[in-house]
């Protein structure tokens, strides 16, 4: 079960105070209590300007409705080609997502260490996609009640990150009030069913999701 860390000493600005770029403020820290307070209030961290820690609440916000997942015929074939595990190698998934050779990389050493700490406490989770014994894709994020805040994904083989996302939706789609947050939509995510919602709508969805128990797969 997830272990509640000491509370954050910081008072984070409300999500509704974000500027036109979606930034509510800079600074604070990446301690587990601060991260959980952020997710519970609709914020997430992402460095800017070479490493300055910023807290974001974009408007619109990208979400993937669990009943709106789009699985193409080719993706259905790919689903049969790979094996997917949960929390089998969180460190390897985060390291792959943080690969500095990836375009637009933003996951620095501080982010890697922060989410490893969250994983050790039972809040951050990974899905790994395997071709035989080779890790070819995956994703990681934070689960708080019925919220799964997706942070990053990667692939080294065709459709591998999409396969991870399809399996994640399968874990979350249990008829309860859940929210799959993808932060910003991209053509890749839109092709899978992600949509934009207003900040107000996101916060409403978040308020409904947080009291929901964690999915069974993330409780051990």
């Amino acid at each position: 079960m997830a272990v509640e860390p000491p509370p954050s000493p910081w008072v984070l600005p409300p999500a509704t105070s974000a500027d036109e770029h979606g930034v509510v403020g800079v600074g604070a820290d990446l301690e587990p209590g601060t991260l959980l307070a952020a997710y519970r209030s609709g914020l997430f961290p992402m460095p800017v300007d070479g490493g300055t820690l910023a807290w974001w609440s974009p408007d619109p916000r990208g979400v993937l409705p669990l009943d709106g997942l789009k699985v193409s015929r080719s993706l259905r074939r790919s689903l049969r080609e790979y094996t997917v595990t949960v929390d089998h190698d969180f460190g390897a998934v985060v390291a792959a997502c943080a690969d500095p050779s990836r375009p637009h990389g933003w996951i620095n050493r501080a982010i890697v260490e922060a989410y490893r700490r969250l994983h050790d406490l039972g809040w951050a989770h990974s899905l790994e996609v395997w071709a035989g014994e080779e890790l070819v894709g995956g994703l990681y994020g934070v689960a708080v009640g019925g919220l799964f805040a997706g942070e990053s994904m990667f692939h080294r083989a065709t459709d591998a990150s999409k396969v991870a996302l399809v399996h994640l939706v399968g874990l979350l789609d249990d008829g309860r009030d859940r929210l799959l947050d993808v932060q910003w939509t991209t053509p890749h995510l839109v092709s899978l069913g992600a949509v934009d919602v207003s900040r107000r709508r996101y916060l409403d969805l978040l308020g409904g999701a947080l009291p929901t128990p964690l999915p069974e797969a993330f409780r051990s």
Side-chain angles (χ1 to χ4, degrees):
M1 297 294 291
V3 177
E4 189 71 33
S8 176
W10 303 95
V11 177
L12 298 172
T16 53
S17 68
D19 65 16
E20 68 273 19
H21 304 293
V23 176
V24 304
V26 297
D29 59 40
L30 289 169
E31 291 301 312
T34 303
L35 286 170
L36 292 179
Y39 286 110
R40 286 166 172 155
S41 60
L43 310 180
F44 61 87
M46 183 175 288
V48 295
D49 297 333
T52 300
L53 180 60
W55 299 91
W56 297 80
S57 172
D59 191 4
R61 185 76 163 249
V63 302
L64 202 166
L66 301 181
D67 61 357
L69 179 68
K70 299 177 181 177
V71 182
S72 67
R73 184 176 300 176
S74 62
L75 180 52
R76 291 187 189 279
R77 288 196 297 269
S78 294
L79 288 168
R80 297 191 291 268
E81 295 175 359
Y82 302 115
T83 302
V84 181
T85 55
V86 177
D87 288 337
H88 183 77
D89 199 339
F90 183 87
V93 170
V94 176
C97 290
D99 184 345
S101 68
R102 298 181 69 190
H104 313 297
W106 58 271
I107 302 174
N108 58 29
R109 183 182 299 274
I111 293 286
V112 169
E113 292 305 317
Y115 284 86
R116 284 179 174 166
R117 290 194 296 269
L118 268 190
H119 174 69
D120 290 342
L121 291 172
W123 298 97
H125 302 277
S126 61
L127 274 72
E128 304 86 16
V129 180
W130 305 88
E133 297 184 356
E134 181 184 2
L135 180 66
V136 295
L139 61 80
Y140 79 95
V142 176
V144 184
L147 166 70
F148 190 91
E151 284 297 316
S152 188
M153 59 176 63
F154 80 99
H155 71 277
R156 297 170 180 156
T158 301
D159 286 343
S161 61
K162 293 182 179 180
V163 167
L165 191 59
V166 170
H167 277 263
L168 174 62
V169 171
L171 297 178
L172 300 178
D173 192 10
D174 59 3
R176 294 177 180 266
D177 197 357
R178 301 198 183 280
L179 172 61
L180 177 47
D181 174 14
V182 298
Q183 300 177 350
W184 288 281
T185 55
T186 64
H188 172 77
L189 291 170
V190 169
S191 72
L192 291 163
V195 299
D196 284 324
V197 298
S198 69
R199 180 183 294 121
R200 181 183 297 274
R201 177 59 177 158
Y202 176 82
L203 294 175
D204 286 344
L205 293 169
L206 177 65
L210 287 176
T212 302
L214 283 171
E216 185 65 33
F218 299 145
R219 293 182 195 176
S220 59

